[in-house]
Amino acid sequence: MDIIKWRDSYETGIAEMDNQHRQLIQLINQLYGIIKEKDGFESVDAILQEMANYAEHHLRDEEKLLEEHGFPGLADQQKSHRNYFMKMDELQEAMEKDGRDAAQEIYVFLRQWWINHIVLEDKEYGPYLRGKGLK
Ligand SMILES: [Fe+2]
């Protein structure tokens, strides 16, 4: 069972972004599963690598989309995304030293950051982009 269930309130109404957000939440669920099952540490590493790649891809796509459509909150989004990468770098470094305890901390951060970001920040571009005819 997934620890984080997708809710309608997470939808921005922009299909591509919503699909990518769902995928990110799915990866966080997988990370939780691995930590809980006490799988080998390599699987934590692998899922975090996948998460890092996918998050980078998603945040790049999102910024590109917002830029193309002249979203006024772009600079705030970029700032928020930069903070995310900085915090993740710190946590990844801690994980190289402390291992599993830090993995748990990464999970807590990812869960909190992504849900907050989607619900509070990303939802703001939904009405704007839909107003530009995007779906
Ligand atoms: Fe964003």
Side-chain angles (χ1 to χ4, degrees):
M1 203 186 72
D2 292 335
I3 184 83
I4 311 170
K5 282 180 209 65
W6 185 261
R7 294 166 189 248
D8 290 347
S9 63
Y10 299 167
E11 306 263 339
T12 63
I14 307 300
E16 182 59 25
M17 293 299 106
D18 288 338
N19 289 338
Q20 293 184 2
H21 286 155
R22 276 175 191 267
Q23 180 62 25
L24 286 157
I25 298 293
Q26 221 27 61
L27 286 166
I28 300 170
N29 280 329
Q30 280 180 41
L31 175 65
Y32 177 80
I34 289 168
I35 294 172
K36 198 172 128 242
E37 296 302 322
K38 305 202 182 339
D39 279 1
F41 204 67
E42 303 82 64
S43 30
V44 172
D45 244 3
I47 194 82
L48 282 175
Q49 191 53 53
E50 200 180 334
M51 182 72 197
N53 293 340
Y54 198 81
E56 205 186 322
H57 154 79
H58 163 69
L59 295 175
R60 207 175 36 225
D61 276 5
E62 194 177 72
E63 289 181 14
K64 208 173 127 213
L65 185 74
L66 298 178
E67 198 176 351
E68 270 169 19
H69 295 278
F71 178 60
L74 175 66
D76 289 339
Q77 279 281 347
Q78 287 167 326
K79 196 170 150 200
S80 178
H81 296 168
R82 266 199 308 273
N83 286 337
Y84 171 79
F85 287 123
M86 265 158 44
K87 183 70 186 168
M88 279 305 284
D89 281 351
E90 270 173 39
L91 289 169
Q92 297 264 20
E93 230 172 84
M95 201 179 81
E96 278 159 35
K97 282 186 228 133
D98 308 330
R100 193 166 282 280
D101 288 347
Q104 172 72 23
E105 209 185 313
I106 291 183
Y107 159 73
V108 171
F109 169 74
L110 287 172
R111 176 180 180 157
Q112 193 211 23
W113 193 88
W114 280 102
I115 292 177
N116 268 325
H117 184 66
I118 291 169
V119 171
L120 300 175
E121 298 179 282
D122 290 346
K123 280 197 79 170
E124 286 181 13
Y125 64 63
Y128 178 85
L129 292 178
R130 287 198 306 276
K132 301 258 170 191
L134 267 78
K135 282 183 193 137

